[in-house]
């Protein structure tokens, strides 16, 4: 509906609009779209349930957070549709801009504009809104690296393997936001970014030596960081409490223990939405943001929480296919980047709720409350849809690929 | 080639994604289905919390039903560290700063008070928080209701902070009494006590208070009651979101004591006055005014051992314990400079009895080797071995009977007896199994062992007999032998050398000193009161009692606290009658006569004995022990001067007030206790909370007369009827 209207703004689309209206509609990837919409609906209900009774948070208006969440979704969906409908060349042109925006945002966080929440300087407060630029930076890094590696691959006519200096350049693109994120420090986002970069390089065809070296290097750096006390006390405690929550049941282990109790209390069918005793009493901290999965666990049970896992799996399965089908290197790498990002962040988030991953504050994409995360996630979904549309189109119009490849050689 | 490589790697990524998500699902299934029961139980625990409903502690009333210890409401501010710590450092600091401002304390102090005993920087016990760190910790007691209301109304400004009304001890202090040493005090239960009590299934909680001294301690199990519990559903901040089951608290029971507030107040006033007078009196011996550092008065019912009053100087304000004592106050209570006010001199102070001990020596002598017709020379001095023992002020009276010797308090008379008995029993032989007649007699009067009073902390005192001498020598010979090797011809060094060689010997000097209550024999004023009580009642040593009965919150009698016999004197009634008559003469012609001029001794015949005990390195202890058939009155002032001179007037005043004596007239109607006797019945506790005094039976015999009254309590009709 809105989709067709927006598609009409693109010049390419306008060209095919009159004749291919129905097929455009059909070319939209329904698995990605529907699983995204389903996660958004479930997420809204969970955020509503998690905050309705929390008067300290809502100030008495039980739907205050639901309303804000719906506004975030609306903005996010608009961004997604715009990106999905934009000509992919424009996406490639805009990619460096997104990347730069992310870096400027991260730099601002460290400036006096930044605010410290929960021990991390990760936020910019603008007119009562808190923005977390690290979320955009992940998208920016994915787009930026995909662009660079795609340009290089196309320059080499996709024949030879990735060269080392190209790997270093790609790493350099990731290193700037990574350094800024570490300075906050935001360990969770750093972890997600690292896995994403690794996945992206791997799909880009980086030599195995590099991949193994990077993993080994990361482990060594982590060991050194712990050794020399670079990590903050609470960060170490979180990791220790992850290994043994009984170490400090009221402090660092509190979140882990309470999260597990809430999920365990759900059983197979759950306590029912708005009826979870742990959720409604607010025993799990941050249950509308980072620990939103515990609300699903308690109130919707194995059935509901399992459905969320299944929806993510469906979304990511399809995303891998989209990346694989894309003949365009940028699309493939961006798709793979989004898969690694979403896949690992969702696993990390649900894993920490379930006590199989340490507690690091990353939101559950598309589900957790939080505007920046929502915008970035939906923009990534938009990017996936864009890539899909592009490859669908290219199947029918092979000439465009050759044409674009010829043109890009002139760059 | 690159394309196929990247396609392959995408498949790897896909496989990893699938395996990660399958792991998630497996874990979810494990938590929710396999171990769901355990988590559901934990969830139940999480959301339900027990809120203790403390029981009001029982009242303590005097024999007439006047409240001596009651309760009042005190607003307490508590901090739940558990909640506070979850707020994050900045909010935590802000809350504490806000709270500190309200309390008018530095923030660091408020923070310090939230620490539990043993933590770094915590206040000293018993000031520090003994309970679990997960319970709200009291940081300020007795705050104003306005402040409490502020905290309760602005909960959003004070997360983790609460104000609650607690019942704390109040001291109505009828007639201005203090009585802190009888009543005792409470302080929070310790972790060890809590565990022990929980082990016995007693109804305690971490916020329980426990009686630490006085009747608060000895009758704690009646007074404490049992706290109730309210189960509430709470949210993560500990806010109550739903109420569940509730067990009502069981209020503590009332303790009726035999103390009479009027007599107690008088005893305290007189003790205080005599001490002040003594401090203005010049002591010829030491060349300075009397220190009069401490003293005590015991007023006891001679017929059954019930205490009517027991005063100790210096006193302390029992309110310092209410709501937790401060470090400074606690230090002061134990401080020697302040005279260790915590110590009850009447039962924890040890003093040489001096001449008040002579009736005991006389009783032993008359029971063994002497007859009442015997006379002995009261010379100005007596040489025993190489030492000369002088009479008081070297007076010589010639041959005296036992009665005269007691009335005039002749020392040499009793030296002769002691010396003869000492020689008879084997002199200074080292055989500790020898039974010395005078020592055995003193033990029979209860000296050297506890009286069995129903208050904690009583001391036994000691009789310096052969056995004690040997053990003392063994314990101290190293010190003195070392000291003896030093040069020096002063008293201490000479003494050290002698002690080192045969300090264990029970010498003639020890024996004669013992006979007149001097030397190393020490006792408590309470022990002396019990002994004189036995002289009054025909030979029964009663265990002193403060508690009279336990009455429940509905006013019904729960338990009567019966007087108990500790022993009987091995002295014939004839000898007791003789001693009784002899001590009557002290007030007429003896050492008390100059203080008893105009006292109607024919109507209220007071038997008495004075004592001026010498203490090495200190001024003399003043003693007066007196009794009639109803009461025993013993007064003692440490470093206070002579017996009659310092304590005589106060003892007379107490007797006058006990019988309503005005000049030479006896007005029993004006007596401090109705009918000039302790009430036999118990006060009546009405349903509306008011208390009326026990009924006074006009027909019952007045204690002032010589009509013999049996031990034990006559049945108090009013209460027995109520109990049914």
């Amino acid at each position: 509906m809105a989709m067709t209207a927006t598609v009409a703004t693109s010049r390419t689309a306008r060209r095919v609009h009159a004749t291919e209206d129905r097929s455009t509609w059909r070319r939209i990837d329904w698995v990605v779209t529907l699983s995204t919409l389903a996660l958004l609906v479930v997420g809204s209900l969970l955020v509503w349930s998690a905050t309705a009774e929390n008067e300290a948070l809502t100030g008495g208006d039980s739907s205050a957070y639901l309303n804000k969440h719906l506004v975030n979704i609306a903005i996010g969906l608009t961004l997604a549709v715009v990106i999905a409908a934009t000509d992919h060349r424009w996406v490639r042109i805009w990619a460096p801009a997104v990347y730069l925006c992310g870096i400027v945002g991260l730099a601002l966080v460290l400036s006096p504009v930044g605010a410290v929440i929960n021990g991390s300087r990760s936020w910019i407060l603008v007119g009562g809104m808190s923005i977390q630029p690290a979320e955009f930076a992940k998208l920016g890094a994915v787009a930026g690296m995909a662009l660079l590696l795609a340009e290089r691959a196309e320059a080499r006519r996709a024949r030879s393997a990735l060269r080392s200096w190209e790997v270093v350049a790609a790493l350099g693109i990731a290193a700037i936001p990574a350094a800024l994120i570490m300075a906050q420090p935001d360990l969770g986002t750093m972890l997600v970014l690292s896995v994403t970069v690794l996945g992206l390089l791997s799909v880009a065809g980086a030599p195995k030596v590099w991949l193994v070296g990077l993993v080994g290097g990361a482990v060594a750096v982590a060991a050194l960081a712990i050794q020399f006390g670079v990590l903050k006390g609470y960060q170490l405690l979180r990791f220790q409490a992850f290994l043994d929550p009984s170490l400090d049941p009221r402090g660092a282990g509190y979140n882990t223990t309470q999260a597990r109790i809430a999920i365990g209390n759900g059983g197979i069918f759950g306590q029912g939405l708005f009826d979870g005793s742990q959720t409604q009493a607010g025993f799990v901290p941050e249950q509308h943001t980072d620990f939103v999965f515990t609300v699903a666990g308690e109130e919707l049970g194995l059935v509901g929480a399992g459905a969320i896992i299944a929806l993510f799996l469906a979304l990511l399965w399809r995303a891998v296919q989209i990346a694989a089908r894309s003949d365009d290197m940028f699309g493939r790498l961006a798709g793979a980047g989004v898969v690694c990002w979403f896949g690992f962040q969702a696993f990390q988030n649900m894993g920490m709720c379930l006590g199989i991953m340490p507690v690091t504050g990353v939101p559950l994409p598309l589900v957790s409350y939080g505007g920046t995360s929502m915008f970035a996630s939906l923009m990534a979904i938009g990017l996936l849809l864009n890539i899909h549309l592009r490859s669908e189109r290219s199947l029918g119009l092979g000439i465009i690929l050759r044409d674009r490849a010829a043109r890009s050689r002139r760059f | 080639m690159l394309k196929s490589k990247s396609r392959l790697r995408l498949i790897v990524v896909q496989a990893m994604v699938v395996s990660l998500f399958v792991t998630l699902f497996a874990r979810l299934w494990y938590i929710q289905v396999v171990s769901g029961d355990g988590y559901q139980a934990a969830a139940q625990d999480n959301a339900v919390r027990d809120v203790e409903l403390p029981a009001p502690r029982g009242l303590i009333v005097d024999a007439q039903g006047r409240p001596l210890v009651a309760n009042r409401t005190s607003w307490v501010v508590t901090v739940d560290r558990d909640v506070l710590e979850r707020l994050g450092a900045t909010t935590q600091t802000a809350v504490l700063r806000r709270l500190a401002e309200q309390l008018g304390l530095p923030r660091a102090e408020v923070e310090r008070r939230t620490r539990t005993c043993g933590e770094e920087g915590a206040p000293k016990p018993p000031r520090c928080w003994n309970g679990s760190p997960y319970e709200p910790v009291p940081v300020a007691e007795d705050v104003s209701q306005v402040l409490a209301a502020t905290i309760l109304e602005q909960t959003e400004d004070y997360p983790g902070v609460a104000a609650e009304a607690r019942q704390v001890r109040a001291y109505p202090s009828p007639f201005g009494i203090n009585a802190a040493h009888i009543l005792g005090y409470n302080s929070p239960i310790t972790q060890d006590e809590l565990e022990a009590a929980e082990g016995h299934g007693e109804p305690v909680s971490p916020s329980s208070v426990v009686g630490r001294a006085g009747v608060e301690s000895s009758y704690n199990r009646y007074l404490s009651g049992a706290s109730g519990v309210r189960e509430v559903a709470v949210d993560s901040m500990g806010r109550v979101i739903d109420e569940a089951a509730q067990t009502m608290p069981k209020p503590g029971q009332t303790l009726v004591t035999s103390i009479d507030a009027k007599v107690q107040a008088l005893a305290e006033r007189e003790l205080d006055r005599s001490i002040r007078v003594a401090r203005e009196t010049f002591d010829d011996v030491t060349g300075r005014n009397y220190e009069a550092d401490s003293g005590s008065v015991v007023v006891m019912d001679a017929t059954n051992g019930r205490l009517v009053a027991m005063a100790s100087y210096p006193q302390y304000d029992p309110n310092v314990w209410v709501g937790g004592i401060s470090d400074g106050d606690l230090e002061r209570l134990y401080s020697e400079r302040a005279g260790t006010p915590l110590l009850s001199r009447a039962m924890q102070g040890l003093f040489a009895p001096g001449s008040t001990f002579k009736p005991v020596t006389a009783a032993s002598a008359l029971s063994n080797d002497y007859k009442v017709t015997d006379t002995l020379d009261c010379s100005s001095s007596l040489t025993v071995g190489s030492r000369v023992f002088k009479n008081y002020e070297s007076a010589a009276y010639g041959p005296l009977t036992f009665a005269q010797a007691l009335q005039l308090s002749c020392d040499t008379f009793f030296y002769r007896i002691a010396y003869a008995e000492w020689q008879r029993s084997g002199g200074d032989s080292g055989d500790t199994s020898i039974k010395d007649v005078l020592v055995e007699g003193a033990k029979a009067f209860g000296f050297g062992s506890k009286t069995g009073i129903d208050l904690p902390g009583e001391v036994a005192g000691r009789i310096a007999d052969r056995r004690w001498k040997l053990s003392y020598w063994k314990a101290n010979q190293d010190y003195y032998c070392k000291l003896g090797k030093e040069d020096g011809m002063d008293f201490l060094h000479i003494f050290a050398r002698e002690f080192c060689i045969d300090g264990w010997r029970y010498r003639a000097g020890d024996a004669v000193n013992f006979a007149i209550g001097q030397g190393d024999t020490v006792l408590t004023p309470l022990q002396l009161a019990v002994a004189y009580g036995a002289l009054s009642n025909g030979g029964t040593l009663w265990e002193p009692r403060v508690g009279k009965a336990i009455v429940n919150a509905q006013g019904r009698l729960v338990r009567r606290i019966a007087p108990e016999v500790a022993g009987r004197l091995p002295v014939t009634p004839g000898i007791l009658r003789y001693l009784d008559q002899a001590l009557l003469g002290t007030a007429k012609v003896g050492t008390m006569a100059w203080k008893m001029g105009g006292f109607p001794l024919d109507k209220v015949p007071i038997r008495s004995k004075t004592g001026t005990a010498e203490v090495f390195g200190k001024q003399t202890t003043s003693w007066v022990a007196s009794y009639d058939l109803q009461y025993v009155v013993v007064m003692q002032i440490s470093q206070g001067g002579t017996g009659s001179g310092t304590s005589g007037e106060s003892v007379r005043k107490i007797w006058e007030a006990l019988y309503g004596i005005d000049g030479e007239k006896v007005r029993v109607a004006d007596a401090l206790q109705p009918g000039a006797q302790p009430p036999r019945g118990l006060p009546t506790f009405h349903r509306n909370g008011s208390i009326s005094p026990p009924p006074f039976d006009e027909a019952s015999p007045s204690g002032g007369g010589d009509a013999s009254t049996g031990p034990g309590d006559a049945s108090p009709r009013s209460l027995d009827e109520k109990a049914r």
Side-chain angles (χ1 to χ4, degrees):
Chain A
M1 320 146 265
M3 185 124 334
T4 47
T6 325
V7 166
T9 60
S10 148
R11 252 192 300 135
T12 321
R14 197 182 299 145
R15 217 189 305 144
V16 295
H17 182 241
T19 54
E20 294 184 329
D21 196 325
R22 276 185 65 226
S23 63
T24 303
W25 188 241
R26 210 179 294 131
R27 286 204 316 270
I28 290 167
D29 190 286
W30 288 104
V31 178
V32 169
T33 310
L34 288 179
S35 54
T36 300
L37 289 175
L39 284 170
L40 290 176
V41 169
V42 174
S44 303
L45 289 173
L46 296 178
V47 167
W48 191 14
S49 176
T51 56
E53 287 296 311
N54 193 337
E55 280 183 26
L57 218 56
T58 61
D61 175 10
S62 65
S63 56
Y65 268 68
L66 173 67
N67 293 339
K68 286 198 233 172
H69 190 70
L70 292 177
V71 170
N72 287 341
I73 289 176
I75 296 171
L77 281 176
T78 311
L79 289 169
V81 169
V82 169
I83 290 174
T86 306
D87 186 284
H88 85 285
R89 280 171 301 190
W90 280 101
V91 169
R92 280 176 79 141
I93 289 166
W94 277 108
V98 171
Y99 175 75
L100 282 175
C101 277
I103 286 177
V104 170
L106 286 173
L108 274 177
V109 160
L110 297 174
S111 76
V113 185
V116 177
I117 297 176
N118 287 341
S120 276
R121 180 174 278 273
S122 309
W123 309 78
I124 311 174
L125 297 178
V126 183
M129 260 178 53
S130 49
I131 301 171
Q132 213 177 355
E135 294 299 327
F136 280 121
K138 280 182 277 196
L139 182 65
V142 166
M145 284 176 73
L147 185 61
L148 176 96
L149 291 170
E151 293 291 347
R152 287 310 310 156
E154 283 154 13
R156 279 181 277 106
R157 301 186 189 195
R159 290 220 189 319
S160 60
L162 212 56
R163 293 193 190 116
S164 285
W165 72 266
E166 288 166 345
V167 175
V168 172
L171 283 174
I173 284 181
I176 299 168
L180 290 168
I181 287 168
M182 272 316 274
Q184 296 183 352
D186 182 348
L187 228 52
T189 306
M190 184 61 201
L191 216 60
V192 172
L193 189 63
S194 306
V195 171
T196 308
V197 166
L198 198 70
L200 214 148
L201 279 176
S202 156
V203 174
K208 275 201 192 88
V209 189
W210 268 102
L211 298 179
V212 172
L214 278 175
V215 172
V219 170
V221 167
L224 284 174
I226 293 169
Q227 193 68 36
F228 293 105
V230 176
L231 286 181
K232 294 202 171 176
Y234 79 94
Q235 290 170 327
L236 262 184
L237 252 180
R238 277 186 190 173
F239 275 96
Q240 283 165 356
F242 158 65
L243 296 172
D244 181 9
S246 65
L247 258 185
D248 184 7
R250 301 267 164 171
Y254 179 83
N255 296 13
T256 340
T257 311
Q258 293 299 331
R260 236 174 293 171
I261 290 174
I263 292 173
N265 195 34
I268 295 176
F269 298 106
Q271 305 281 320
L273 207 57
F274 299 101
D275 275 338
S277 65
Q278 307 298 296
T279 299
Q280 298 308 321
F283 282 105
V284 187
E286 300 294 329
Q287 59 182 4
H288 60 299
T289 56
D290 295 352
F291 283 91
V292 74
F293 188 67
T294 65
V295 181
E298 184 182 27
E299 301 195 337
L300 306 177
L302 184 70
V303 175
I308 291 177
I309 296 175
L311 284 171
F312 269 110
L313 195 55
L315 173 63
L316 293 170
W317 183 274
R318 188 64 186 160
V320 171
Q321 284 185 338
I322 290 173
R325 275 189 209 154
S326 171
D327 280 331
D328 161 21
M329 203 57 182
F330 173 78
R332 171 169 298 187
L333 292 181
V338 171
V339 167
C340 291
W341 162 20
F342 270 42
F344 187 73
Q345 185 165 329
F347 173 75
Q348 160 65 29
N349 178 285
M350 291 186 277
M352 88 183 174
C353 290
L354 291 166
I356 54 173
M357 288 296 278
V359 176
T360 55
V362 293
L364 187 58
L366 303 171
V367 180
S368 286
Y369 175 83
T372 332
S373 161
M374 184 60 78
F375 304 157
S377 307
L378 282 172
M379 283 164 82
I381 296 292
L383 186 59
L384 278 177
L385 290 176
N386 180 295
I387 296 162
H388 176 73
L389 277 174
R390 167 86 195 138
S391 53
E392 284 288 292
R393 211 172 288 133
S394 68
L395 287 179
L397 303 159
I399 195 154
I400 290 177
L401 175 69
R402 256 172 272 125
D403 177 44
R404 184 198 46 71
R407 207 182 309 131
S408 64
R409 228 175 288 137
R410 288 198 299 271
F411 269 99
Chain B
M1 183 192 128
L2 184 62
K3 282 228 170 95
S4 64
K5 190 176 183 183
S6 84
R7 210 179 286 272
L8 192 70
R9 287 195 174 167
L10 262 176
I11 290 167
V12 173
V13 168
Q14 191 169 28
M16 283 172 90
V17 167
V18 170
S19 61
L20 286 183
F21 279 66
V22 167
T23 309
L24 280 181
F25 187 82
R27 176 67 179 171
L28 188 67
W29 182 79
Y30 178 79
I31 288 184
Q32 294 194 311
V33 181
V34 179
S35 46
D37 289 347
Y39 286 117
Q40 275 152 30
Q44 186 70 18
D45 270 4
N46 236 352
V48 177
R49 203 164 284 185
D50 288 349
V51 176
E52 191 206 353
L53 304 171
R57 223 171 142 80
L59 292 181
I60 300 173
V61 303
D62 83 345
Q64 298 292 333
R66 304 172 189 117
L68 303 179
V69 182
N71 298 308
R72 65 181 171 83
T73 301
S74 162
W75 285 95
V76 177
V77 176
T78 62
V79 169
D80 192 331
R81 293 208 315 189
D82 192 21
V83 171
L84 208 58
E85 274 163 19
R86 261 186 268 142
L87 294 174
T90 30
T91 327
Q92 197 174 337
T93 316
V95 171
L96 284 178
R97 193 189 308 116
R98 222 170 288 146
L99 179 61
E101 249 167 54
Q102 285 282 355
L103 296 173
L105 291 166
R107 187 173 64 84
E109 173 62 18
V110 175
E111 213 168 347
R112 195 174 82 100
R113 290 185 184 180
T114 63
R115 299 200 182 124
T116 47
C117 290
E119 254 182 287
E120 202 186 329
K124 270 184 238 155
R127 189 69 190 81
C128 59
W129 175 241
N130 241 319
S132 143
Y134 305 130
E135 304 244 353
V137 183
V139 293
E141 324 244 354
D142 256 335
V143 300
S144 73
Q145 197 171 349
V146 179
L147 174 55
T150 308
I151 287 170
L152 287 174
E153 281 161 13
Q154 305 174 6
T155 41
E156 68 280 3
D157 284 345
Y158 297 100
V161 182
E164 53 183 273
R166 284 188 189 168
Q167 294 286 303
V168 296
R169 281 318 213 185
Y171 300 92
S173 206
F175 308 104
I177 68 156
N178 170 275
H181 295 106
I182 304 173
L183 302 173
Y185 57 89
N186 302 302
S187 69
I189 194 165
T190 65
Q191 199 60 43
D192 290 347
E193 286 171 333
L194 184 65
E195 279 158 21
E198 277 170 348
H200 296 123
E202 285 170 38
V204 287
S205 69
S207 64
S208 293
V209 294
V210 178
R212 294 292 174 203
V215 287
E216 290 274 24
S217 167
S218 47
Y219 294 102
N220 183 60
R221 66 192 173 112
Y222 300 106
L223 292 168
S224 64
S227 46
V229 173
R230 194 171 69 214
E231 280 179 16
V232 291
V234 292
D235 68 5
S236 60
M237 292 309 233
R239 283 177 300 231
V240 176
I241 50 180
D242 198 13
E243 303 230 346
Q246 177 161 330
T247 323
M248 290 303 285
K250 221 173 126 225
Q253 298 171 336
T254 299
L255 172 71
V256 181
T257 67
S258 56
I259 300 296
D260 186 282
K262 283 185 178 176
V263 182
Q264 176 73 23
L266 177 71
E268 288 173 9
R269 263 201 318 277
E270 283 301 324
L271 180 61
D272 198 53
R273 190 178 62 83
S274 283
I275 282 176
R276 268 189 284 113
V277 170
R279 285 176 181 173
E280 282 159 20
T281 308
F282 187 72
D283 177 14
D284 297 329
V285 182
T286 55
R288 56 191 161 94
N289 283 6
Y290 287 112
E291 298 269 327
D293 55 70
S294 68
S296 60
V297 173
V298 177
V299 181
M300 197 180 81
D301 186 338
T303 66
N304 53 23
R306 293 199 188 280
L307 286 170
V308 178
M310 187 166 80
S312 175
Y313 183 96
Q315 300 177 342
Y316 69 88
D317 180 2
N319 279 303
V320 298
W321 291 100
V322 173
I325 191 166
S326 71
D327 292 355
D329 280 337
L330 189 69
E331 215 162 90
R332 205 187 67 82
L333 287 186
Y334 285 109
S335 134
E336 287 197 20
R337 270 191 61 213
T340 50
L342 205 53
L343 204 65
S344 169
R345 296 310 200 276
M347 56 173 221
Q348 294 171 315
L350 287 172
F351 308 95
S355 302
T356 55
F357 194 69
K358 284 173 184 162
V360 178
T361 303
S364 310
L366 290 170
S367 301
N368 289 283
D369 303 303
Y370 294 86
K371 299 191 295 294
V372 292
T373 50
D374 289 342
T375 57
L376 290 165
D377 185 22
C378 180
S379 53
S380 72
S381 68
L382 179 72
T383 307
V384 175
S386 58
R387 278 178 70 190
V388 178
F389 287 82
K390 282 184 179 154
N391 206 5
Y392 181 68
E393 292 179 342
S394 298
Y397 292 95
L400 294 181
T401 62
F402 272 87
Q404 288 168 319
L406 285 171
Q407 286 156 10
L408 299 172
S409 205
C410 175
D411 290 343
T412 47
F413 180 96
F414 290 97
Y415 289 157
R416 283 174 208 284
I417 295 173
Y419 189 43
E421 292 291 358
W422 175 77
Q423 284 177 318
R424 219 168 279 150
S425 62
D428 63 2
S429 108
D431 184 358
T432 54
S433 66
I434 287 173
K435 299 262 185 241
D436 189 285
V437 165
L438 300 186
V439 167
E440 294 310 309
K443 284 181 182 165
F445 268 86
F447 301 121
S449 40
K450 292 180 181 176
T451 62
I453 188 176
D454 54 348
L455 296 180
E458 185 197 6
V459 296
R462 84 177 160 243
I463 292 176
D465 59 0
R466 289 166 200 274
R467 196 183 298 270
W468 180 82
K469 290 239 26 163
L470 182 64
S471 65
Y472 184 77
W473 177 76
K474 278 183 180 159
N476 294 286
Q477 62 163 327
D478 286 353
Y479 170 76
Y480 282 111
C481 291
K482 216 167 135 193
L483 195 67
K485 283 187 191 119
E486 293 173 8
D487 293 335
M489 290 307 287
D490 56 302
F491 172 79
L492 188 64
H493 283 88
I494 293 169
F495 172 82
R497 264 162 235 146
E498 284 174 6
F499 184 91
C500 177
I501 298 161
D502 59 355
W504 48 270
R505 281 189 197 282
Y506 189 66
R507 296 170 174 282
D510 295 324
V512 302
N513 264 335
F514 175 74
I516 62 158
Q518 292 289 160
D520 294 311
T521 298
V522 285
L523 48 79
T524 66
L526 187 67
Q527 283 176 319
L528 199 65
V530 171
Y532 274 68
L535 294 178
S536 161
N537 63 31
T540 305
L541 291 165
W542 288 102
E543 283 187 4
R545 282 281 173 277
V546 174
K548 210 171 169 186
I550 304 291
V551 177
N552 70 13
Q554 288 73 46
R556 287 169 191 269
L557 181 68
V558 174
R559 205 197 118 185
R560 199 178 286 282
I561 300 157
E564 269 183 58
V565 174
R568 287 198 57 85
L569 297 182
V571 182
T572 63
I575 295 170
L576 284 177
R577 264 197 304 279
Y578 177 82
L579 291 172
D580 194 58
Q581 288 303 310
L583 293 175
L584 264 177
T586 311
K588 287 176 184 157
V589 298
T591 51
M592 266 298 270
W594 67 295
K595 288 287 181 187
M596 295 298 271
F599 190 92
L601 285 168
D602 50 334
K603 292 180 197 121
V604 182
I606 309 295
R607 293 76 159 168
S608 55
K609 183 74 202 78
T610 60
T612 307
E614 283 163 26
V615 183
F616 178 71
K618 284 188 176 176
Q619 294 166 315
T620 54
T621 306
S622 161
W623 285 97
V624 172
S626 59
Y627 67 88
D628 72 344
L629 294 184
Q630 183 65 64
Y631 298 107
V632 182
V633 177
V634 170
M635 183 164 182
Q636 161 271 330
I637 295 173
S638 163
Q639 308 213 71
T642 64
S644 54
T646 301
S647 303
E649 198 175 324
S650 284
V651 171
R652 173 176 180 161
K653 286 237 161 104
I654 291 170
W655 281 109
E656 283 177 348
L658 285 172
Y659 285 100
I661 293 168
D662 178 17
E664 295 199 14
K665 293 200 186 71
V666 180
R667 294 184 220 272
V668 173
D670 292 345
L672 292 186
Q673 294 193 293
Q677 59 181 329
R680 310 221 152 253
L682 295 170
T684 309
F685 294 83
H686 300 284
R687 207 171 285 277
N688 65 6
S690 65
I691 306 167
S692 46
F696 169 58
D697 189 354
E698 296 277 356
S700 77
S702 163
D706 278 355
S708 157
T709 49
D713 275 0
S715 79
R717 259 160 289 141
S718 65
L719 214 112
D720 280 352
E721 277 157 21
K722 282 250 167 320
R724 268 177 236 128

